[in-house]
Amino acid sequence: QPSAKPYRAIIQIMLYGGCDSFNILVPHTCTGNKDMYQEYLQVRQDIALPKESLLEIDAASSNQICETFGVHPNLPTVEKMYDDGDLLFFSNTGVLTKETDKYNFVKDEVTRLFSHSSQQFETERVDPFEMSHGTGILGRIADSLKAKGHIVDTISIDSKATALQGTPNLASSPFVLSRFGVSRFNLGASSNNMESHITAMNEATVPESGVFGDFWSESLVK
């Protein structure tokens, strides 16, 4: 039965190859105690983006150290979505289990911070303290929505994503769709009129067919 709640969707695009986040969102105008763009130049050096090339976005109403930031010049759609209120940036986020520094992170942290595959896995889990072992961030969100009366389905492209794993024995398995889309049925058909043959086969019923068989056949030929 429908839940009578409005439709909503969360879409996660996992960039397994990684992205240079420090050149996606760049400090631009910072008139406070610290010039973050100058610090960015000192750290990034030859790969720093010139300030005049950046697509400037307003952050004056936030509690950020900069009044404006710059988006990479090749991402005008990201800039527009931010300006329209359809996109937010989550910066300085990660899976640290405690505050640390470059001298002590090896002994302080459980997660391997410089392992590409480990960071991919932890990005999908977002559970550095192992409070919900075996689950992913989207799976836990789906579990919470179900508990509040929402009807929730999860779909993964190409493989069973870690992010969609919910509470064991409670969450339903995600539907996995091929990267090539929905597979077409019977591409090597032996007849040009296969649809009528399939319909005829599934229309024939007898008392012994059973309600489940009838339901399956009825659904197939719709």
Side-chain angles (χ1 to χ4, degrees), residues 96-128:
L96 293 180
T97 50
K98 63 184 293 188
E99 187 174 344
T100 187
D101 55 39
K102 63 182 180 181
Y103 305 107
N104 298 297
F105 76 89
V106 173
K107 66 181 180 64
D108 285 344
E109 299 301 326
V110 176
T111 305
R112 292 180 292 171
L113 300 179
F114 288 89
S115 165
H116 191 67
S117 58
S118 296
Q119 288 301 296
Q120 289 176 345
F121 182 65
E122 294 299 339
T123 297
E124 294 197 61
R125 291 178 68 245
V126 195
D127 187 24

Side-chain angles (χ1 to χ4, degrees), residues 3-23:
S3 66
K5 298 181 184 296
Y7 173 79
R8 294 289 187 272
I10 298 175
I11 301 174
Q12 181 192 54
I13 301 175
M14 183 66 179
L15 302 176
Y16 282 105
C19 67
D20 184 0
S21 61
F22 291 103
N23 270 8

Side-chain angles (χ1 to χ4, degrees), residues 26-192:
V26 180
H28 190 281
T29 303
C30 315
T31 60
N33 297 328
K34 198 172 187 180
D35 187 346
M36 294 299 294
Y37 182 78
Q38 189 58 42
E39 183 174 298
Y40 162 80
L41 287 178
Q42 292 172 355
V43 173
R44 303 241 90 187
Q45 298 186 19
D46 292 342
I47 60 173
L49 297 172
K51 181 180 284 190
E52 60 272 15
S53 73
L54 298 171
L55 305 174
E56 196 170 351
I57 59 174
D58 180 38
S61 61
S62 71
N63 61 353
Q64 298 295 322
I65 193 171
C66 298
E67 292 90 334
T68 64
F69 287 82
V71 175
H72 193 285
N74 289 338
L75 298 173
T77 302
V78 171
E79 176 203 21
K80 183 179 186 305
M81 291 179 67
Y82 177 88
D83 290 341
D84 292 344
D86 294 327
L87 181 145
L88 291 174
F89 289 96
F90 287 84
S91 59
N92 295 327
T93 59
V95 290
L96 293 180
T97 50
K98 63 184 293 188
E99 187 174 344
T100 187
D101 55 39
K102 63 182 180 181
Y103 305 107
N104 298 297
F105 76 89
V106 173
K107 66 181 180 64
D108 285 344
E109 299 301 326
V110 176
T111 305
R112 292 180 292 171
L113 300 179
F114 288 89
S115 165
H116 191 67
S117 58
S118 296
Q119 288 301 296
Q120 289 176 345
F121 182 65
E122 294 299 339
T123 297
E124 294 197 61
R125 291 178 68 245
V126 195
D127 187 24
F129 296 103
E130 296 287 353
M131 298 178 67
S132 302
H133 185 71
T135 66
I137 177 63
L138 297 180
R140 296 195 298 275
I141 291 175
D143 290 345
S144 296
L145 289 172
K146 287 178 182 178
K148 294 180 181 295
H150 291 267
I151 296 175
V152 183
D153 287 315
T154 54
I155 301 173
S156 182
I157 305 296
D158 198 39
S159 62
K160 195 172 182 179
T162 300
L164 293 176
Q165 301 307 306
T167 304
N169 301 321
L170 292 178
S172 57
S173 296
F175 175 79
V176 180
L177 179 66
S178 166
R179 70 172 71 182
F180 304 108
V182 178
S183 299
R184 294 184 61 186
F185 174 72
N186 198 17
L187 292 176
S190 58
S191 169
N192 294 329

Side-chain angles (χ1 to χ4, degrees), residues 179-208:
R179 70 172 71 182
F180 304 108
V182 178
S183 299
R184 294 184 61 186
F185 174 72
N186 198 17
L187 292 176
S190 58
S191 169
N192 294 329
N193 200 22
M194 287 298 296
E195 184 174 345
S196 63
H197 291 313
I198 293 171
T199 300
M201 290 174 60
N202 283 276
E203 282 180 340
T205 60
V206 295
E208 293 80 17

